[in-house]
């Protein structure tokens, strides 16, 4: 079974802090994604990566950055946390079959981040 | 811009009933469609993936259909159980494997 793990289930940080959210997958997937989920807004894509050291902006990249130094690990960084970044953060990964039709995404358990 | 809509937003049924969840999308140029289940405060569990060339997929009591030309998908759950209570999300994939999600249907199955 594919396993996607996230470093924390719950996290509380203060405004202005630098925050690191870690995601690790164990299935040698090429593609990795970071989403945030908010009531009434659904899931929105923040950043994604197709390979090591590659990154692409999603729909809402402002205030975030990412790092992918190893294939299995994809980190989301909040450079200076703000209260409007309080949210559920979900990481996902998928195998790159060469055609997007087969790219089933598998999600981690989520990190509930609260910024005070 | 692709938009995904799920109706109804919430559904409550008695145990044992068969039910259908609906998903519609505005742009038929999709690569695949995925149905997910999400329990409160948890991550998403992939239920079924239908490739754009397929019409349906089945897994146990679940059957998902896809009509790409009309921009619709349905998730059929047979003989519902209280353990099926969760939020069900559909998502369509465009080029590059990025997913666009609907808002979800919150299902409650009463014993």
């Amino acid at each position: 079974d594919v396993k996607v793990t996230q470093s924390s289930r719950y996290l509380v940080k203060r405004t202005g802090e630098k925050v690191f959210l870690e995601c690790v997958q164990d299935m040698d997937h090429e593609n990795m994604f970071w989403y945030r989920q908010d009531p009434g807004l659904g899931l929105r894509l923040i950043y994604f990566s197709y390979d090591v050291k590659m990154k692409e902006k999603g729909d809402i990249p402002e205030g975030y950055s990412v790092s992918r130094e190893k294939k299995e690990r994809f980190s989301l960084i909040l450079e200076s946390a703000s209260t409007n970044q309080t949210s559920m953060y979900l990481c996902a990964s998928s195998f790159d079959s060469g055609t997007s039709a087969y790219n089933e995404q598998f999600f981690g358990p989520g990190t509930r981040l609260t910024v005070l | 811009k692709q938009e995904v809509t799920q109706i109804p937003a919430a559904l409550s049924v008695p145990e044992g009933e068969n039910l259908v969840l609906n998903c519609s999308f505005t742009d038929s140029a999709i690569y695949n469609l995925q149905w997910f289940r999400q329990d409160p405060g948890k991550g998403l569990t992939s239920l079924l993936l239908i490739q754009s060339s397929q019409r349906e997929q089945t897994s146990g009591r679940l059957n998902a259909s896809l009509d790409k030309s009309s921009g619709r998908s349905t998730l059929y759950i047979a003989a519902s159980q209280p353990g099926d209570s969760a939020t069900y999300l559909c998502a369509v994939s465009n080029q590059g494997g990025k997913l666009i999600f609907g808002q979800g249907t919150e299902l409650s199955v009463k014993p």
Side-chain angles (χ1 to χ4, degrees):
Chain A
D1 278 354
V2 175
K3 190 155 188 187
V4 181
T5 57
Q6 295 183 228
S7 51
S8 305
R9 290 285 286 119
Y10 300 94
L11 208 52
V12 179
K13 295 292 181 181
R14 298 228 173 252
T15 302
E17 279 192 75
K18 190 168 186 176
V19 181
F20 293 86
L21 302 182
E22 304 285 340
C23 175
V24 178
Q25 50 91 7
D26 67 356
M27 285 301 291
D28 203 33
H29 283 173
E30 289 82 5
N31 305 330
M32 296 189 75
F33 306 83
W34 274 106
Y35 298 86
R36 64 178 282 178
Q37 184 177 29
D38 301 286
L41 296 175
L43 278 101
R44 293 176 292 168
L45 181 64
I46 305 171
Y47 265 98
F48 59 103
S49 169
Y50 292 138
D51 202 348
V52 175
K53 298 195 185 293
M54 291 184 66
K55 59 184 179 184
E56 298 281 345
K57 292 180 180 179
D59 298 319
I60 51 163
E62 295 78 19
Y64 303 94
S65 63
V66 290
S67 172
R68 192 157 181 210
E69 296 296 319
K70 293 185 178 181
K71 190 176 185 180
E72 68 271 18
R73 187 180 298 268
F74 192 36
S75 302
L76 180 69
I77 304 157
L78 285 65
E79 297 291 343
S80 177
S82 63
T83 55
N84 63 13
Q85 292 179 310
T86 291
S87 186
M88 172 71 123
Y89 288 87
L90 292 159
C91 174
S93 72
S94 69
F95 171 66
D96 188 351
S97 64
T99 167
S100 297
Y102 303 95
N103 292 1
E104 184 176 6
Q105 282 194 27
F106 297 90
F107 280 75
T111 295
R112 172 74 64 184
L113 173 66
T114 301
V115 183
L116 302 176
Chain B
K1 181 185 172 186
Q2 178 75 270
E3 291 183 2
V4 181
T5 304
Q6 291 186 248
I7 295 172
L11 181 64
S12 181
V13 301
E15 183 177 3
E17 192 163 298
N18 302 326
L19 59 99
V20 174
L21 306 181
N22 297 293
C23 173
S24 62
F25 46 95
T26 54
D27 185 350
S28 62
I30 65 170
Y31 284 78
N32 64 48
L33 183 145
Q34 269 188 267
W35 281 94
F36 295 90
R37 168 187 174 136
Q38 186 175 31
D39 293 291
K42 302 288 179 65
L44 277 64
T45 299
S46 178
L47 298 173
L48 290 163
L49 178 145
I50 310 177
Q51 297 165 31
S52 60
S53 59
Q54 296 177 324
R55 298 283 290 184
E56 66 177 341
Q57 281 285 342
T58 299
S59 176
R61 293 183 294 109
L62 305 179
N63 176 277
S65 69
L66 174 64
D67 183 344
K68 206 171 79 156
S69 60
S70 68
R72 294 178 189 278
S73 176
T74 60
L75 179 66
Y76 174 83
I77 303 177
S80 59
Q81 303 169 359
D84 294 330
S85 298
T87 296
Y88 290 82
L89 294 153
C90 75
V92 297
S93 173
N94 63 4
Q95 189 173 10
K98 293 180 286 184
L99 291 178
I100 298 99
F101 284 84
Q103 294 283 335
T105 294
E106 187 176 351
L107 174 65
S108 175
V109 182
K110 305 292 187 185

